[in-house]
Amino acid sequence: MRAALGSLSLFEPGSLDEALRVLAEQAPVIPMAGCTDLYVALESGLVPGPSYINIWGLSELRGIELRGELLRIGALTTYTELIESALVGERLPILAAAAREVGGAQIQNRGTVGGNIANASPAGDSLPVLAVAEAEVVLASTAGERRVPFTSFYTGYKRSVRRDDELIVAVEIPPIEGQLWFRKVGTRAAQAISKVVMAAARGSSPRISLGSVAATVVRLPATEACLAGGGSLDQACDALAGEIQPIDDLRSSAAYRLRVAQNLLRRFWTETA
């Protein structure tokens, strides 16, 4: 790796309680698990920080289960486990669909839900699904747990409300009604970072979320209200244009992203009619 690893420190906790103590006493420490993004950064010579904590072995952060009406997914649940889960397929099939779009088999076997959330990339494939599902992020520290609505979790590009002494331990998802829809548009059909990604639900109140069109993943309340109120698709597309802030970058242009986002909105509404 291009990064000098000799100067970095690594903690190897044997339990969640021990990990939380490390975060409380040694902060800032960067949690690491599947490392599908971290190793890329280190290989390129970027060093996110001097201290790391390996949480890959913490069994407390694994598992997919129902707790009452909530679907609880542990932070270390991999994309492969999402794809193979009958419970996810029944309750939130668009999350499994998003997981299938993430990288190749190697990435799906290592990448985790918690990592995708923590990485805070607006291009994260699972994030629009969690926004549409109105999930809550479960954060733990030595002081206890707190739950943050997913739509309030991000404060800006690569920034969130998670404190240095907190660890994402799970995401909890309430039941969602209506027809669910997911599409990702990238350079290729597989192993490509999204140019635009949309998740949506058509029930009594439409829900729509987009990734790669702003500094964070975004819900589209004005677009949703337009469709719920009987507005035309043209009017909804106009509303969408006012709710996103796409940029020009190496993967695409702002104009292309806007056009694709509007086309996806039309496809979603037409295909779920």
Side-chain angles (χ1 to χ4, degrees), residues 27-213:
V29 180
I30 298 172
M32 55 184 281
C35 298
T36 58
D37 286 298
L38 176 60
Y39 281 5
V40 172
L42 292 174
E43 171 62 23
S44 67
L46 300 176
V47 180
S51 300
Y52 300 82
I53 181 169
N54 181 14
I55 62 172
W56 181 257
L58 302 184
S59 60
E60 300 100 317
L61 304 187
R62 298 190 182 277
I64 302 171
E65 62 179 341
L66 284 179
R67 291 194 179 181
E69 288 296 307
L70 296 176
L71 174 64
R72 182 180 172 99
I73 300 174
L76 292 185
T77 301
T78 66
Y79 298 114
T80 296
E81 290 167 335
L82 291 176
I83 293 167
E84 295 177 347
S85 169
L87 199 50
V88 171
E90 176 186 346
R91 289 287 298 262
L92 195 60
I94 55 175
L95 184 56
R100 291 187 186 95
E101 298 286 344
V102 176
Q106 301 94 328
I107 299 299
Q108 292 170 6
N109 287 339
R110 291 288 300 184
T112 65
V113 172
N116 207 214
I117 296 170
N119 193 45
S121 167
D125 293 327
S126 71
L127 306 187
V129 175
L130 298 177
V132 158
E134 298 187 346
E136 288 191 331
V137 180
V138 184
L139 297 165
S141 69
T142 54
E145 285 188 351
R146 68 179 178 123
R147 286 161 172 79
V148 178
F150 187 81
T151 51
S152 302
F153 186 71
Y154 298 113
T155 59
Y157 179 71
K158 293 280 189 174
R159 300 197 305 274
S160 75
V161 299
R162 184 184 74 84
R163 303 191 307 264
D164 286 341
D165 68 330
E166 290 181 314
L167 192 65
I168 298 172
V169 295
V171 59
E172 294 179 339
I173 303 166
I176 182 171
E177 65 168 7
Q179 297 184 68
L180 306 181
W181 195 89
F182 175 84
R183 292 292 186 279
K184 171 181 174 176
V185 176
T187 302
R188 300 179 299 275
Q191 301 194 50
I193 299 174
S194 64
K195 295 183 178 184
V196 180
V197 57
M198 176 183 282
R202 185 167 186 170
S204 56
S205 298
R207 301 181 191 177
I208 305 163
S209 179
L210 282 168
S212 290
V213 295

Side-chain angles (χ1 to χ4, degrees), residues 204-206 223-231 269:
S204 56
S205 298
T223 306
E224 295 169 358
C226 178
L227 292 172
W269 203 243

